[in-house]
Amino acid sequence: MSDVTMPQLGESVTEGTITRWFKAPGDEVAEDEILLEVSTDKVDTEVPSPVAGTLQELRAEEGDTVDVGTVIAVVGDGAASGGESGGGDEAASKPEPEPAAEQQDAPAAAEPPPAEEPTSAPEPEPAPAAQAQPEPQATPQASQEAPSEQASGGTPSGSSDGALLSPLVRRLLNDANVDPSAISGTGPGGRITREDAVNHIEGRGSGGARPAAVPAAAQPAAAPAPVAAPAPAAQPAPAQRAPQPAASAAPSPAPQGAQPSSVPTPQPVSFSDGDTEVPFTNIRRRTGEHTVNSKHTSPHVISAVEVDYEGVETARSLFGADFKATEGFSLTYLPFIARAAVDAIEDFPFMNASVGDDGLIVHRDVNLSVAVDLNFEGLLAPVVRQASDKRLRAIARDINDLAGRARTKKLSPDDLSGGTFTLSNSGSFGSLFVAPIINQPQVAILSTDGVTRRPVAVTDARGHESIAIHSMGNLTMSWDHRAFDGAYAAAFLARLKEILQTRDWTAEL
């Protein structure tokens, strides 16, 4: 017999709320197989079983808040009392579980909904989409295999038609109405990975978009409608010279990490008995508390600039296909914006700060928090550490990885702490202007809005003006007026815009 206790999911975490049990008494469980989901004030996390055997009893129910270290379940070698016999020797002989399941992101719901939903963004890439990623999107290096759901003696709980599937892959295939037998898995033992599922779904002819699970921000969807699949790589004629890459439609806006190949579907609401009350989830409540506190704490001010992304679009058109083939996810706008923001912060260090008791605390390292949508059910902002030491490709990998793990509940509390400047993205849906709420205790947050193809006046080297079609979009920043004034914020945005518009991004790729 082995006791399963409430784990400490973070240094300052003292308790957790059980949001879902994946096993019932009498079920067999493999070592490291997902046993339950726990929600804390830091993050929602899937908790694996520390041992293999038969689940004997549950000592805490879904919805219970339990102190760290409290016994919440018992796993033994035999069958649960009152259950079927003969589980003891079988549990010991069952095959070892496979390592953890593939990510994005993202995503990809934050907490498994009652009805299974697609894994949102940046996808992973996705999947933000994100999604990048917006995604956070399925990256080879960032992807991990999800815990095997197989039990000895019977069809694995995560299988369909005999194919072993992780919950994430199963939700993707169910949502796209795809038969698992039609896919050749590339994972261990022929297992279908998230990347296999996304590639198959995209190959059937979907379009491109973001914040779901695989970053599809690079799609050429000319309007705010986020209904296509990632298509940075699909941009035709790499040899075509910018400013007008051969793509006929406007690229979709900046991604947030990794995103799925299609836009996530919101959970339906039934009105059969009139108005319906939908209880807030833990993540919804925490988001509400955090944002209300931020508005009470900081005097928010909004500044915005319009950016010509033609240089970025040229790099994406020329290198998008190669990037996706090499990295395993789409090259979206978000990594370019992140890289430019980090460089602009070098010249305006007060942007990378927090307000103390009697002054401004300016941080040495730039740790970028990147907002990741969890299939319309919540929001997390995992952190890209020491982003100032990383170039475009490394930042893109980190964003995609974090978005994917956010949507598959593989983040640790440490992944969400220590951010010094935040990037938020709804641009994959074609937004024009979003005023985000500051992520306390930071002093600024930057929103990346939609990118569209439209006529603009351009000036050549001789000063002659003409009309051209370029990729244009807005960047909107909310900032804390206690930290600095409008001139400082405007100068920072001007520098950020200059970097995005003038840098030779093809050289970096």
Side-chain angles (χ1 to χ4, degrees), residues 332-419:
T332 61
Y333 288 90
L334 190 57
F336 293 90
I337 297 170
R339 174 90 164 102
V342 166
D343 289 353
I345 285 173
E346 230 178 82
D347 297 328
F348 295 87
F350 286 5
M351 286 292 163
N352 193 50
S354 54
V355 176
D357 293 336
D358 192 28
L360 200 60
I361 302 169
V362 182
H363 305 292
R364 180 189 60 185
D365 294 330
V366 180
N367 295 325
L368 284 181
S369 299
V370 181
V372 177
D373 171 67
L374 304 172
N375 196 35
F376 300 153
E377 296 182 0
L379 186 72
L380 292 176
V383 179
V384 176
R385 304 281 172 189
Q386 297 179 315
S388 50
D389 296 336
K390 298 174 181 176
R391 295 180 67 81
L392 179 64
R393 196 175 288 263
I395 289 176
R397 287 175 188 147
D398 283 357
I399 289 175
N400 185 70
D401 170 53
L402 289 168
R405 289 195 287 124
R407 294 187 176 104
T408 53
K409 304 190 178 184
K410 299 297 187 295
L411 292 178
S412 71
D414 289 343
D415 290 321
L416 298 168
S417 62

Side-chain angles (χ1 to χ4, degrees), residues 341-503:
V342 166
D343 289 353
I345 285 173
E346 230 178 82
D347 297 328
F348 295 87
F350 286 5
M351 286 292 163
N352 193 50
S354 54
V355 176
D357 293 336
D358 192 28
L360 200 60
I361 302 169
V362 182
H363 305 292
R364 180 189 60 185
D365 294 330
V366 180
N367 295 325
L368 284 181
S369 299
V370 181
V372 177
D373 171 67
L374 304 172
N375 196 35
F376 300 153
E377 296 182 0
L379 186 72
L380 292 176
V383 179
V384 176
R385 304 281 172 189
Q386 297 179 315
S388 50
D389 296 336
K390 298 174 181 176
R391 295 180 67 81
L392 179 64
R393 196 175 288 263
I395 289 176
R397 287 175 188 147
D398 283 357
I399 289 175
N400 185 70
D401 170 53
L402 289 168
R405 289 195 287 124
R407 294 187 176 104
T408 53
K409 304 190 178 184
K410 299 297 187 295
L411 292 178
S412 71
D414 289 343
D415 290 321
L416 298 168
S417 62
T420 57
F421 185 88
T422 295
L423 297 178
S424 176
N425 169 68
S426 56
S428 50
F429 293 106
S431 60
L432 174 66
F433 185 99
V434 175
I437 297 176
I438 297 171
N439 185 11
Q440 297 295 328
Q442 300 168 24
V443 298
I445 178 172
L446 185 71
S447 173
T448 62
D449 292 305
V451 177
T452 58
R453 299 287 291 175
R454 60 184 180 79
V456 294
V458 296
T459 305
D460 64 21
R462 297 183 178 181
H464 299 151
E465 293 183 333
S466 60
I467 300 296
I469 306 297
H470 282 197
S471 296
M472 305 294 294
N474 294 329
L475 290 177
T476 309
M477 185 172 71
S478 295
W479 48 277
D480 189 335
H481 212 319
R482 298 174 300 170
F484 39 76
D485 298 318
Y488 193 85
F492 167 76
L493 287 176
R495 176 60 180 146
L496 173 58
K497 173 179 178 176
E498 179 187 22
I499 293 171
L500 284 168
Q501 293 185 168
T502 62
R503 175 166 293 172

